[in-house]
């Protein structure tokens, strides 16, 4: 059965956890889809894990569109999200054209990085039938502004600001929120404050769902894994077994455990 935005909202309302992964090609998309993954993200993370860059910044819309087409060919049921990469939103007109490119490539929703300043953009996209997921917290496209890959929202004031901005983007029409590298308490607070699903990556176990980069989940990322990631191949007999374990632990709420979360 195809997963829709309405289905994800119903899962949140029922207290059912949402399992999400990145995907970049048809073969892995097929494996993830067969295992019962709820959503797949063609992330600009492909710049690092597929193209070998040191950040996501070199990725362009054509790159995302190419990989979205590949994922869509291997996917029958999971919701497909496509990233709007660095500087793909320089103006409202260009934003709309780039979003249309990704939707035509097979995306069911686009993901954009930022906060309350995106509200006008969100409204314009939704008015034109483009569903929107907003990415907050550690947003990789802003890595140079942050001075590196650092946990966000640690102070009480920062947490309050995050919640206010999340409510604003929800009101503007966003139907999904991804929050990355924030204290677990903030991930929980965001999930409780919003009616739309909140998907965490390094945001604790009490968000409405989880997402991992597939290379991290399969233990094939070079070097040390991020704190929030878990190598499911370490105790699996096969790739399908590892995928199944990840989905099961997300559903049960046992991933992430205390070793994978950030505190204040």
């Amino acid at each position: 059965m195809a997963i829709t935005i309405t289905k994800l909202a119903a899962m949140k309302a029922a207290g059912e956890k949402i399992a999400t992964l990145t995907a970049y090609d048809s073969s892995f998309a097929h494996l993830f889809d067969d295992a019962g993954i709820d959503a797949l993200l063609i992330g600009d993370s492909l710049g690092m894990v597929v193209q070998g860059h040191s950040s996501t910044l070199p990725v362009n819309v054509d790159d995302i569109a190419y990989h979205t087409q590949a994922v869509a060919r291997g996917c029958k049921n999971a919701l497909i999200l496509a990233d709007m990469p660095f500087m793909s939103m320089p103006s409202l007109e260009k934003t709309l054209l780039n979003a249309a490119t990704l939707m035509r490539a097979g995306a069911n929703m686009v993901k954009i990085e930022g906060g309350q300043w995106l509200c006008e953009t969100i409204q314009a996209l939704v008015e034109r039938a483009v569903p929107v997921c907003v990415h907050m917290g550690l947003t990789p496209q802003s890595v140079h502004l942050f001075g590196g890959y650092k946990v966000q929202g640690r102070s009480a004031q920062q947490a309050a600001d995050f919640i206010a901005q999340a409510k604003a983007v929800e009101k503007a029409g966003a139907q999904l929120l991804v929050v990355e590298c924030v204290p677990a308490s903030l991930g929980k607070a965001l999930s409780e404050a919003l009616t739309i699903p909140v998907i965490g990556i390094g945001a604790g176990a009490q968000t409405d769902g989880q997402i991992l980069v597939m290379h991290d989940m399969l233990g094939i990322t070079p070097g040390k894994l991020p704190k929030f990631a878990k190598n499911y191949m370490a105790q699996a007999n096969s790739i399908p077994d590892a995928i199944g374990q990840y989905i099961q632990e997300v559903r049960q709420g046992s991933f992430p455990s205390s070793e994978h979360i950030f505190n204040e």
Side-chain angles (χ1 to χ4, degrees), residues 19 21 31-37 217-218 230 232-233 235-252 254-255:
L21 284 166
L31 280 175
F32 298 150
D33 200 54
D34 275 357
I37 203 77
M217 187 273 292
L218 294 174
K230 178 177 177 179
Y232 279 87
M233 281 300 294
Q235 296 177 318
N237 296 318
S238 65
I239 290 175
D241 186 34
I243 299 165
Q245 287 184 32
Y246 167 70
I247 293 172
Q248 181 180 30
E249 289 191 8
V250 171
R251 298 264 193 260
Q252 294 172 342
S254 58
F255 175 79

Side-chain angles (χ1 to χ4, degrees), residues 66 80 154 157 162 168 170 185 205 208 230-231 234 241 250 260:
Y66 172 86
I80 299 174
R154 279 193 147 146
Q157 182 57 53
F162 262 82
E170 178 182 44
S185 58
D208 302 308
K230 178 177 177 179
N231 174 10
D241 186 34
V250 171
H260 305 114

Side-chain angles (χ1 to χ4, degrees), residues 22-258:
T22 65
Y24 315 97
D25 64 44
S26 180
S27 295
F28 274 107
H30 185 81
L31 280 175
F32 298 150
D33 200 54
D34 275 357
I37 203 77
D38 298 309
L40 292 173
L41 168 67
I42 298 85
D44 56 9
S45 50
L46 70 88
M48 301 173 76
V49 299
V50 176
Q51 297 174 336
H53 297 297
S54 61
S55 75
T56 66
L57 303 190
V59 178
N60 61 41
V61 173
D62 288 341
D63 293 333
I64 298 289
Y66 172 86
H67 289 276
T68 298
Q69 290 173 335
V71 168
R73 293 186 192 108
C75 180
K76 293 181 179 179
N77 297 311
L79 186 78
I80 299 174
L81 296 86
D83 252 335
M84 292 282 284
F86 180 67
M87 286 303 294
S88 60
M89 301 191 297
S91 66
L92 186 55
E93 180 182 8
K94 191 64 175 176
T95 298
L96 297 175
L97 291 172
N98 285 334
T101 295
L102 299 183
M103 295 294 286
R104 290 189 183 107
N108 304 123
M109 174 179 258
V110 298
K111 181 170 78 65
I112 56 179
E113 293 188 6
Q116 189 168 352
W117 65 272
L118 290 169
C119 287
E120 181 183 354
T121 300
I122 295 166
Q123 289 172 341
L125 287 166
V126 172
E127 285 171 358
R128 290 158 178 83
V130 179
V132 176
C133 170
V134 173
H135 185 163
M136 294 179 62
L138 173 56
T139 48
Q141 292 172 23
S142 301
V143 63
H144 294 307
L145 288 176
F146 294 149
Y149 296 95
K150 299 179 180 180
V151 179
Q152 303 296 305
R154 279 193 147 146
S155 73
Q157 182 57 53
Q158 288 173 333
D161 181 61
F162 262 82
I163 293 169
Q165 293 205 45
K167 287 181 176 179
V169 299
E170 178 182 44
K171 185 177 180 180
Q175 293 175 284
L176 195 66
L177 182 77
V178 168
V179 60
E180 180 172 355
C181 286
V182 301
S185 58
L186 178 52
K188 178 177 183 289
L190 284 166
S191 299
E192 292 174 347
L194 302 183
T195 59
I196 61 175
V198 176
I199 309 299
I201 176 166
Q206 293 179 286
T207 52
D208 302 308
Q210 301 293 327
I211 184 169
L212 283 180
V213 172
M214 57 165 281
H215 295 69
D216 292 344
M217 187 273 292
L218 294 174
I220 54 177
T221 301
K224 185 179 179 181
L225 282 180
K227 175 181 172 67
F228 54 73
K230 178 177 177 179
N231 174 10
Y232 279 87
M233 281 300 294
Q235 296 177 318
N237 296 318
S238 65
I239 290 175
D241 186 34
I243 299 165
Q245 287 184 32
Y246 167 70
I247 293 172
Q248 181 180 30
E249 289 191 8
V250 171
R251 298 264 193 260
Q252 294 172 342
S254 58
F255 175 79
S257 62
S258 58

